[in-house]
Amino acid sequence: MRVSILASGSGGNACVVESGRTRVLVDAGLSAREIERRLTARGMEPDTIRGVFVTHEHNDHSSGALVFSQRWECPIFTTAGTAVAIGLEGNLFSPFVRIDASREGRIGDLGFRAFATPHDANESVAYAFEGDGARLVVASDLGRAEEDFVEFLSEATALLLEFNHDEDMLRDGPYTWPLKQRISGGWGHLSNRQSAEAVRRAAGRRLQRVVATHLSRTNNVPPLALAALCEALDRAECQAIAGVADQILGFETFDA
Ligand SMILES: [Zn+2]
Ligand SMILES: [Zn+2]
């Protein structure tokens, strides 16, 4: 399985997952043109994308989804709640494949499963993909990591997991009090500490790679996220390679 993060953060999220002859996009939070440009720059033609998986309706995950799907005639895979929120219902031009959390599905050589996430969105999910003996979990935008979520992560060979904010930076930073409450609350975003704790609990023998994603540019810095992640892997005695995705550069293509 190959994984290519095109962008990561509140300025836009998109990543490519492929196994065998099947290539899909997970989130399309940049303009369709920008996604096409970034695909081409990495040697992938937009017309090879078989589907666009959308985690939830927030702009940084969905803004280019409809246009991309229509232009390249590939269906959008998402929950009924997200479909309504992004205007897919009654839209004759973007085919839509409904996803139910916890039910398994398949597109070509990729198996997938969704997990319902606690977030201030209509019906947000994280996704697990399986192919070539690998299992990749893509999870961001959730307010807390409970036991069933840790279980969802636990068989992964690769994890793309939100490390949104450093708790001290958020507390002392420039955001308004209500916004700080929203981000740190149970329907907001995972902090470095929360995500590191989830990794520590979930890290299994199969885990090869963890990439910290969706870092806040105001309330986090890559060295803090990476330090929290590495400490968690150390404590779990896991040898997985750790990395941090960048808003603009994304993350180098790797084999999961
Ligand atoms: Zn987001
Ligand atoms: Zn969100």
Side-chain angles (χ1 to χ4, degrees), residues 1-19:
M1 191 184 290
R2 301 209 94 189
V3 184
S4 205
I5 302 177
L6 306 179
S8 179
S10 54
N13 297 273
C15 96
V16 181
V17 177
E18 57 183 297
S19 178

Side-chain angles (χ1 to χ4, degrees), residues 107-123:
I107 169 171
D109 297 322
L110 269 178
F112 61 83
R113 191 159 82 89
F115 177 91
T117 48
H119 189 50
D120 51 3
N122 214 24
E123 196 184 349

Side-chain angles (χ1 to χ4, degrees), residues 102-249:
S102 301
R103 288 244 318 262
E104 312 250 329
R106 173 160 290 277
I107 169 171
D109 297 322
L110 269 178
F112 61 83
R113 191 159 82 89
F115 177 91
T117 48
H119 189 50
D120 51 3
N122 214 24
E123 196 184 349
S124 57
V125 288
Y127 290 109
F129 295 95
E130 287 194 333
D132 304 326
R135 179 183 171 90
L136 167 77
V137 174
V138 183
S140 75
D141 297 57
L142 64 162
R144 55 191 186 272
E146 291 175 332
E147 197 54 47
D148 50 351
F149 178 69
V150 171
E151 214 165 279
F152 184 69
L153 304 182
S154 65
E155 286 300 307
T157 54
L159 279 181
L160 310 186
L161 179 63
E162 167 177 62
F163 279 64
N164 182 260
H165 56 278
D166 173 76
E167 292 174 2
D168 294 339
M169 284 183 73
L170 177 66
R171 189 194 60 224
D172 301 335
Y175 283 7
T176 60
W177 178 244
L179 187 52
K180 289 180 183 183
Q181 294 272 70
R182 197 215 122 211
I183 291 169
S184 62
W187 300 90
H189 291 272
L190 291 179
S191 70
N192 292 343
R193 182 187 61 78
Q194 289 173 300
S195 296
E197 176 63 10
V199 168
R200 187 189 64 75
R201 286 157 62 199
R205 206 163 295 158
R206 274 161 55 84
L207 187 61
Q208 308 278 326
R209 169 90 72 159
V210 185
V211 182
T213 62
H214 213 296
L215 270 68
S216 166
R217 276 176 290 184
T218 308
N219 304 305
N220 208 353
V221 286
L224 284 178
L226 191 60
L229 170 55
C230 288
E231 195 197 328
L233 290 171
D234 273 355
R235 287 178 58 195
E237 295 180 4
C238 176
Q239 309 295 321
I241 302 167
V244 178
D246 181 75
Q247 177 67 74
I248 294 162
L249 301 174

